[in-house]
Amino acid sequence: PSFKLSYYNEYKSYLRPCHEQVSPESPKRYQYRLKVDLGRREGVAVKQGVEMIQLPPEGILHGRMAHMSVVIDHSLYMIGGYHKLIEKDNKHKDITVDMSEINIYSLRESKWIRRKATGDVPISGSGMCMAANSHFIYAFGGLLVFINGNETRREFSNTLHELDTRTLQWRKLNPSKDQYSCDMPSLRDKAAMVYYNNALYVFAGWGIRIGRIQPNSQFLADPVHHFVGWNNELWRFDLETRRWSSPVCEGTTPAPRAAHTLTMSDHKTAVLFGGRTREGRVSELYFLDLEELKWVGPIEAGPGPEKRSLHTFTRLHDNNILLLGGMDSEGQAVKTQWVLITKPTCKWVQVHLHDPNQCARTWHTTSAYCRSSYTELCVFGGSPDNIWEPDHKYLAQMVRFYYGIRPLYDTCIDKIISDNIPYTSLPVELENDVTTKSEADVSYHKDLTELEKTVIYEMGQITPASGAS
């Protein structure tokens, strides 16, 4: 196997990724080769190749957490979140990323580009949940940040927005101007959302109780701040009628929670894992049949992962789901990673990354590009520290790796495209495939200013842990 490692080494030093074939005789599983291009950018300072300790100038991607990302048409779209500003007195200040700033990473060319979205741009904040279908991205809720001079105000939201990735136009979808209406979800952040059959399903979250609680649902107030708490409401937004409804499900509804995940495992089943309840973090597993509207669980899947929240739970090409990172019961970033095998029997299998510390992070994103026999995964941002501590770091690092068996044919095509190798003399079938995949790389982004490449660490494939059931 081959892999690439690139990172900022020191001030004004930029290390480009490059491939190196590993010799079978080498005692080391992987080797590193680096190229240094000095003087590429001003104002970049990085410690230990990971921590951005100075706000980068315009045009360079910075570390962040509490953001959203998804892969559409060979490109990863990253939106929102927090990043850290180092002020003159060396104090850290968390600031939100403007929602009009859309950072796009080409999986083919390994390049970042930045575009500005227009339309009904959402107010910046954190804790929004997202879903995607076709070329549309949906963002709901969150803890919004309003800045007026030296005053900062934070408010929960129940607004739903849609981003068209073809035109980069935001559109507000909420049917009512009354955010306190009982006919829509309450104000909340850290909910979870999935797309199914031309509708969006939002479950649970942390926020303010308003109006009546939906049937078969609960609101559990925080023991200290009684006006906020956890809920376990399920809401459905019809994308055709643009109306909210609250479906009543059979089975046992999971307890109120926030910072959990809800992931589609097949065409009609959503899988719920983890989160934070009033009693603490959990590792519960539930299935939600969106066709029959029925909860099944908690599911017993054998020995499995630690309790965690603010993790990612990402569907793979074979309908299994990768659990990565998150915060444990002590507030620390989790290092162990797992795959949930969904069929024929539901069970957990621990997986080993070649460097598990690279994925020990909290409130990050994991985006998947699924092919027939493998999945390419991109993990970006988050924090390796306890995020409730004032000096926590934000990672400006993306980890790329594969799950499954990647065909040599696909690897060769990517190499031809990335290295701009002339392919007019290739066999007709190969030339056609190279042309098709090259042109599919979101051609309308080519006029954009290229961002400085982010910190990238690519790690071959993940493998099951020995002895894991």
Side-chain angles (χ1 to χ4, degrees), residues 1 45 47 82 95 129 149 208 211 213 232 330 345 347 360 395 434 463 465:
K47 183 179 180 180
Y82 280 106
I95 59 175
C129 58
I208 301 173
I213 298 299
N232 62 349
E330 303 300 323
T345 302
K347 67 175 182 178
L395 295 176
V434 171
T463 57

Side-chain angles (χ1 to χ4, degrees), residues 198-261:
N198 203 35
L200 300 169
Y201 290 80
V202 176
F203 179 71
W206 162 266
I208 301 173
R209 174 178 179 173
I210 58 174
R212 56 186 173 83
I213 298 299
Q214 300 302 315
N216 300 330
S217 300
Q218 294 177 285
F219 177 89
L220 298 181
D222 183 270
V224 178
H225 307 288
H226 302 292
F227 62 94
V228 293
W230 300 265
N231 73 78
N232 62 349
E233 294 180 341
L234 178 67
W235 286 89
R236 178 183 184 273
F237 185 82
D238 190 305
L239 290 167
E240 182 176 352
T241 64
R242 295 178 63 179
R243 291 187 177 276
W244 287 102
S245 62
S246 180
V248 177
C249 297
E250 299 179 6
T252 302
T253 303
R257 67 194 61 210
H260 52 290
T261 48

Side-chain angles (χ1 to χ4, degrees), residues 196-461:
Y196 169 71
N197 196 21
N198 203 35
L200 300 169
Y201 290 80
V202 176
F203 179 71
W206 162 266
I208 301 173
R209 174 178 179 173
I210 58 174
R212 56 186 173 83
I213 298 299
Q214 300 302 315
N216 300 330
S217 300
Q218 294 177 285
F219 177 89
L220 298 181
D222 183 270
V224 178
H225 307 288
H226 302 292
F227 62 94
V228 293
W230 300 265
N231 73 78
N232 62 349
E233 294 180 341
L234 178 67
W235 286 89
R236 178 183 184 273
F237 185 82
D238 190 305
L239 290 167
E240 182 176 352
T241 64
R242 295 178 63 179
R243 291 187 177 276
W244 287 102
S245 62
S246 180
V248 177
C249 297
E250 299 179 6
T252 302
T253 303
R257 67 194 61 210
H260 52 290
T261 48
L262 191 65
T263 305
M264 297 298 295
S265 67
D266 57 31
H267 70 283
K268 68 169 187 172
T269 305
V271 183
L272 170 74
F273 176 79
R276 167 71 189 274
T277 68
R278 186 164 66 174
E279 288 70 34
R281 291 171 182 83
V282 296
S283 57
E284 296 172 336
L285 186 67
Y286 284 82
F287 285 3
L288 173 60
D289 188 321
L290 293 172
E291 185 175 314
E292 302 293 333
L293 289 177
K294 181 179 180 180
W295 284 105
V296 179
I299 302 293
E300 293 296 333
E306 310 93 321
K307 300 175 181 180
R308 64 182 82 187
S309 63
L310 298 174
H311 51 277
T312 56
F313 202 39
T314 309
R315 178 182 176 179
L316 305 169
H317 67 281
D318 53 7
N319 292 336
N320 297 324
I321 307 176
L322 173 67
L323 172 64
L324 191 147
M327 176 187 290
D328 64 18
S329 298
E330 303 300 323
Q332 302 302 315
V334 181
K335 293 185 178 181
T336 58
Q337 324 304 334
W338 298 75
V339 167
L340 177 67
I341 307 299
T342 57
K343 293 180 180 180
T345 302
C346 186
K347 67 175 182 178
W348 289 105
V349 175
Q350 188 175 357
V351 295
H352 282 318
L353 300 177
H354 301 306
D355 186 350
N357 292 324
Q358 295 290 340
C359 292
R361 53 183 77 193
T362 296
W363 221 351
H364 54 289
T365 57
T366 304
S367 303
Y369 176 47
C370 295
R371 304 294 295 272
S372 59
S373 63
Y374 72 96
T375 304
E376 182 173 359
L377 295 128
C378 299
V379 183
F380 186 86
S383 175
D385 307 315
N386 186 331
I387 62 173
W388 308 126
E389 297 294 334
D391 59 346
H392 63 271
K393 308 176 186 67
Y394 291 171
L395 295 176
Q397 181 189 45
M398 183 161 72
V399 180
R400 292 178 64 180
F401 57 95
Y402 301 102
Y403 174 89
I405 301 174
R406 190 165 192 254
L408 180 60
Y409 187 79
D410 288 356
T411 303
C412 291
I413 290 179
D414 285 350
K415 184 67 175 176
I416 292 171
I417 294 173
S418 64
D419 289 2
N420 295 317
I421 298 174
Y423 50 87
T424 53
S425 60
L426 296 174
V428 176
E429 182 178 352
L430 178 57
E431 180 181 343
N432 291 339
D433 286 347
V434 171
T435 303
T436 300
K437 292 187 178 182
S438 179
E439 292 177 350
D441 244 349
V442 197
S443 60
Y444 53 84
H445 293 152
K446 291 183 179 178
D447 59 332
L448 307 176
T449 303
E450 179 185 343
L451 295 181
E452 194 76 4
K453 291 182 181 178
T454 200
V455 181
I456 300 176
Y457 177 62
E458 185 167 325
M459 309 182 296
Q461 299 179 357

Side-chain angles (χ1 to χ4, degrees), residues 13 33 37 118 160 242 347 381 391 426:
S13 296
R33 183 162 60 92
D37 183 7
T118 56
L160 177 65
R242 295 178 63 179
K347 67 175 182 178
D391 59 346
L426 296 174

